[in-house]
């Protein structure tokens, strides 16, 4: 028996966390065997890598593009080996918050060559692909404003978080890369407009997830 591999992707502020929560609750209510996990940081060691990647270092040093890329793939290799592949082999539904499309979008937008991405992908994924990728699409101008509002509401500690023009431009490149991936993989990727009301986005996601689960032999309405 083979499980079902679903990933969820999107720019910051696209509502990914909310939708992931709603979808996982729905699948749990249906009693499906479910593993919900994320990248980076889906394993104990991966959480160390996540900290190295996402928390600013006291020295002010930042990762060069290649080192950053290798850390994301090191996290992914460990995650695949110890969590994702075993769960799929056990016939479970595996729901992952960000996966390889994020690397292609974010590290690609930082200037990593497509050929480097392809080589690492071959090494680490060995041909494994998600059955479905839910890609939440939103103009970064709107989605980053949401993030700013959220940060402000969290209090002074986060109120410095403002996206300047260069960051906005980076996130526009990320979005365009996500859109290109969706265009090049229409069977795998469900591109979903994320500006619609939460319930509507949830329904659009379910329209793509339900048939996949049914085809895999899970009883869902
Ligand atoms: P996270 O706090 O999980 O953000 P989000 O709620 O937006 O998912 O941080 C993940 C960050 O790491 C996010 O900015 C995207 C980035 N990222 C990459 O640059 N490359 C990758 O391969 C992955 C998985 C994430």
């Amino acid at each position: 028996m083979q499980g079902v591999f679903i990933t969820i992707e999107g720019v910051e502020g696209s509502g990914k966390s909310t939708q992931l929560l709603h979808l996982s609750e729905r699948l749990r209510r249906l009693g499906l065997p479910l593993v919900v996990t994320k990248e980076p940081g889906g394993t104990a060691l991966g959480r160390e890598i996540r900290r190295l990647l996402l928390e600013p270092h006291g020295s002010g040093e930042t990762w060069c593009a290649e080192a950053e890329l290798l850390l994301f793939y090191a996290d992914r290799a460990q995650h695949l080996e110890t969590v994702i592949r075993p769960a799929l082999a056990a016939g479970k539904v595996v729901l992952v918050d960000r996966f390889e499309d994020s690397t292609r979008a974010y590290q690609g937008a930082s200037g990593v060559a497509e050929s480097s991405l392809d080589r690492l992908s071959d090494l680490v994924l060995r041909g494994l692909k998600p059955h479905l990728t839910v890609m939440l699409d939103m103009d970064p101008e709107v989605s980053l404003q949401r993030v700013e509002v959220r940060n402000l509401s969290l209090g002074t500690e986060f109120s410095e978080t403002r996206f300047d023009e260069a960051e906005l431009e980076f996130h526009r490149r990320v979005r365009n890369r996500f859109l290109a991936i969706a265009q090049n993989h229409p069977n795998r990727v469900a591109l979903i407009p994320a500006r619609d009301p939460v319930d509507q986005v949830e329904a659009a996601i379910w329209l793509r997830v339900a048939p996949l689960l049914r085809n895999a032999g899970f009883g869902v309405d």
Side-chain angles (χ1 to χ4, degrees):
M1 184 173 173
Q2 198 212 8
V4 177
F5 185 17
I6 301 172
T7 60
I8 179 157
E9 302 275 8
V11 292
E12 264 104 317
S14 57
K16 187 166 57 62
S17 307
T18 305
Q19 291 301 334
L20 186 97
L21 188 69
H22 289 190
L23 180 58
S24 55
E25 280 173 353
R26 188 167 195 162
L27 297 176
R28 246 181 226 118
R29 275 199 305 274
L30 288 166
L32 302 193
L34 182 66
V35 172
V36 182
T37 178
K38 68 185 289 180
E39 291 193 357
T43 63
L45 289 172
R47 280 186 280 285
E48 299 283 310
I49 296 178
R50 180 185 170 89
R51 191 174 51 74
L52 290 172
L53 276 165
L54 301 180
E55 285 177 20
H57 194 260
S59 66
E61 185 179 348
T62 56
W63 296 107
C64 70
E66 285 75 16
E68 185 184 69
L69 176 73
L70 291 168
L71 285 169
F72 276 114
Y73 269 100
D75 170 72
R76 183 159 303 135
Q78 183 75 6
H79 194 205
L80 278 162
E81 193 64 25
T82 65
V83 178
I84 298 176
R85 289 189 203 276
L88 290 173
K92 296 185 179 166
V93 178
V94 182
L95 188 54
V96 189
D97 184 355
R98 293 197 184 281
F99 192 62
E100 188 172 59
D101 295 323
S102 276
T103 316
R104 291 185 177 267
Y106 284 84
Q107 278 60 60
S110 302
V112 171
E114 217 63 46
S115 56
S116 307
L117 293 167
D118 288 342
R119 275 199 304 235
L120 281 173
S121 181
D122 285 348
L123 177 74
V124 172
L125 270 78
R126 304 196 300 272
L128 182 73
K129 288 267 174 268
H131 296 107
L132 174 69
T133 296
V134 172
M135 195 173 276
L136 297 178
D137 178 51
M138 196 187 266
D139 183 344
E141 202 121 13
V142 178
S143 73
L144 295 184
Q145 256 169 27
R146 285 190 181 184
V147 175
E148 282 183 0
V149 169
R150 192 163 64 207
N151 287 344
L152 280 171
S153 74
L154 290 174
T156 47
E157 197 189 332
F158 292 89
S159 61
E160 294 304 309
T161 312
R162 280 262 185 271
F163 293 93
D164 59 24
E165 188 49 42
E167 283 169 291
L168 191 56
E169 189 43 45
F170 172 74
H171 287 281
R172 284 197 194 105
R173 289 204 301 277
V174 171
R175 182 206 194 185
N176 287 338
R177 286 180 165 267
F178 275 135
L179 290 174
I181 292 169
Q183 204 161 29
N184 291 333
H185 303 276
N187 294 332
R188 171 175 67 88
V189 179
L191 187 68
I192 297 189
R195 272 191 84 167
D196 293 339
V198 173
D199 290 0
Q200 215 166 304
V201 175
E202 194 178 333
I205 293 174
W206 189 244
L207 271 181
R208 297 298 297 262
V209 171
L212 179 67
L213 295 174
R214 252 180 252 122
N215 283 343
F218 292 108
V220 298
D221 309 323

